[in-house]
Every structure is written in structure tokens, then in C-alpha cells.
Amino acid sequence: MTQISEKQKPRRGRIFPERTIDYEKLASRKAERTKLGRRCQEIFERIRPELIEKHYNWFIAIEPDTGEYLIDPKFITLTKKIQEQYGNTDVMLTTFRLNETGTCGRI
């Protein structure tokens, strides 16, 4: 017969507690991402009809400030194009897929 121990095991903490981010900062990051996504979605909806005919199911990365975009049939080569064009700058891009929904994968 198994005995239940009254003594609880100590809980472990975070591996890197100095890297913990407070909830306000996380909420502000989420709000920034949502705002960026909305701006890119507007550009995507505007350019999708002309691109979807020739480049169906290709990937597209949109930069919301300038409206510039890069397209490629493969995601990995699109990321390489982004790296070549923007380098290590802090430019935020949003990636879509040129189809009816704009989603890149399945959930």
C-alpha cells in the first residue's frame, strides 16, 4: 500500500528570474503588436486582389510605415529576403499568405 506524504516538495522558480517581465510591459507589447497587425492588415486588404491572381498562396511580408512588401512562394526564402533588405534593424513586419483568408498555416 502506498503512503501519502504530508511533506510537500519545494516548488521550483524561474530559471532566470532577472528576465521576468512585468504585466504592464507585456500588455503594452501586445497592444503594439495588435496595432501593427491592424495597420498591415489594411495594406494587405488593399493589395491582395491584384497579387492573388498571379501569386496565389505565396507569402507576403508587409512593412506598415512605408507600405513596402516582399513576396515569395516559400517562407524560408522570404525571411532571407527580409534579412537582406532590412538587416538587423528594428523594422517590424507582418507576414500573410496570399489567399482568401491571409493565414499562413493551420491551427
Side-chain angles (χ1 to χ4, degrees):
M1 186 171 211
T2 307
Q3 268 188 328
I4 299 176
S5 174
E6 295 294 324
K7 186 177 180 184
Q8 292 183 350
K9 293 181 180 180
R11 292 184 162 207
R12 294 183 178 200
R14 289 186 54 91
I15 296 174
F16 300 107
E18 65 276 0
R19 291 188 172 179
T20 304
I21 301 172
D22 58 346
Y23 292 110
E24 293 83 17
K25 194 168 188 175
L26 285 174
S28 69
R29 285 183 181 180
K30 185 176 181 180
E32 286 177 24
R33 282 194 313 269
T34 303
K35 185 178 171 183
L36 172 76
R38 286 187 184 137
R39 291 172 52 206
C40 291
Q41 183 74 33
E42 291 173 5
I43 297 169
F44 177 69
E45 293 298 330
R46 190 176 65 233
I47 62 176
R48 176 172 51 177
E50 62 190 47
L51 294 175
I52 200 168
E53 295 172 9
K54 293 182 181 178
H55 309 290
Y56 187 78
N57 250 357
W58 284 31
F59 292 94
I60 180 170
I62 301 173
E63 202 277 310
D65 294 330
T66 62
E68 294 179 352
Y69 59 90
L70 300 168
I71 61 172
D72 201 272
K74 294 184 179 181
F75 184 73
I76 193 82
T77 53
L78 178 65
T79 55
K80 288 178 184 176
K81 283 183 180 180
I82 292 169
Q83 185 68 27
E84 289 171 4
Q85 183 160 346
Y86 294 105
N88 292 329
T89 60
D90 292 336
V91 175
M92 298 292 286
L93 303 169
T94 303
T95 304
F96 297 98
R97 196 145 193 187
L98 288 168
N99 55 24
E100 293 79 17
T101 59
T103 57
C104 291
R106 293 187 292 176
I107 296 177

